[in-house]
Every structure is written in structure tokens, then in C-alpha cells.
Amino acid sequence: MYNTTMSRYRKILVPFDGSACSKNALLQAFKLADSEKCWITVCSVVPPYEGDIEFIGIGNIRAAMQKPAEDALQEAGRLADTERALIKTVCEHGGIYEKIIEVANNDNCNLIVIGKRG
């Protein structure tokens, strides 16, 4: 017999880059998490730099590349505050798709809610 009080999901992962699509995905995840009574992890990934550092006019390339991810996670935090949702934020470094899967596996996420582009 199916128990209707059991949630289908315990943890949701939302990859977030601050784009309109990722904001919509996060807002949908808030609704789902509220109905399912589950946790949300919001992840932003800093991709690896593959250029020649000697030709860049930026003193600290790693910090410059990390700033958009940190800004995105701050925006996710503001959206969570507005929606009165609790989230865990994670900033990772590496291949975007690989890190999303790694975080999902490490946090035992049952579902990934992701925007169609961004």
C-alpha cells in the first residue's frame, strides 16, 4: 500500500549561476521542497581557467573567476530569504557538469532541478 505521507524526495540540488533560467529553477525548487518537506542545496561552479595566465591583465585570475559564482550564491540566498526557504550553498571548482553530479552524489540528492540554459 502506498503511504501518501512519505516524500518522494529528501534533498534537491539546484545548480545556480544567477541567470533567469536558474532563478526560475530555484523558485520551482522552493515550491517542491515546501510540498515535499525536503532540503535544498544550491551549487555554483567556477570552471577551470584554460587560458595563458601570462597574457591576462588580471592580478588574481582565480578570485576574478570565483566572484560571479559567489555573487550568484548571494543572489540565491536573497531569493531564499524572500521565499522564507532554507538552503545550503556550495561553491565548487572544476568541470561544471562533473561538479554538479559530484555534489548531487556527495549530498545524496534525489533530484536535480536545473534551468534549461545559463
Side-chain angles (χ1 to χ4, degrees):
M1 182 171 200
Y2 181 72
N3 184 353
T4 58
T5 61
M6 290 188 62
S7 297
R8 291 175 288 181
Y9 308 110
R10 290 175 318 189
K11 293 184 181 178
I12 298 173
L13 175 65
V14 182
F16 191 80
D17 64 2
S19 67
C21 288
S22 69
K23 287 179 187 177
N24 185 50
L26 184 57
L27 293 173
Q28 296 306 315
F30 290 153
K31 292 177 188 176
L32 183 58
D34 184 53
S35 69
E36 293 286 317
K37 306 298 184 231
C38 61
W39 300 92
I40 296 176
T41 297
V42 179
C43 176
S44 191
V45 180
V46 179
Y49 178 71
E50 297 176 0
D52 189 350
I53 291 181
E54 293 179 19
F55 293 111
I56 300 284
I58 300 173
N60 187 343
I61 189 71
R62 188 170 179 90
M65 290 183 69
Q66 185 161 326
K67 181 152 178 30
E70 290 173 352
D71 291 347
L73 292 176
Q74 287 179 356
E75 175 66 16
R78 286 190 290 273
L79 288 170
D81 289 345
T82 300
E83 296 295 319
R84 296 184 178 176
L86 296 174
I87 62 171
K88 170 184 162 185
T89 59
V90 178
C91 184
E92 292 287 332
H93 295 264
I96 295 171
Y97 305 113
E98 294 85 358
K99 286 297 178 178
I100 290 170
I101 298 301
E102 184 179 306
V103 170
N105 287 331
N106 289 344
D107 279 9
N108 296 314
C109 294
N110 307 95
L111 179 68
I112 299 174
V113 177
I114 190 168
K116 65 180 181 176
R117 64 171 68 150

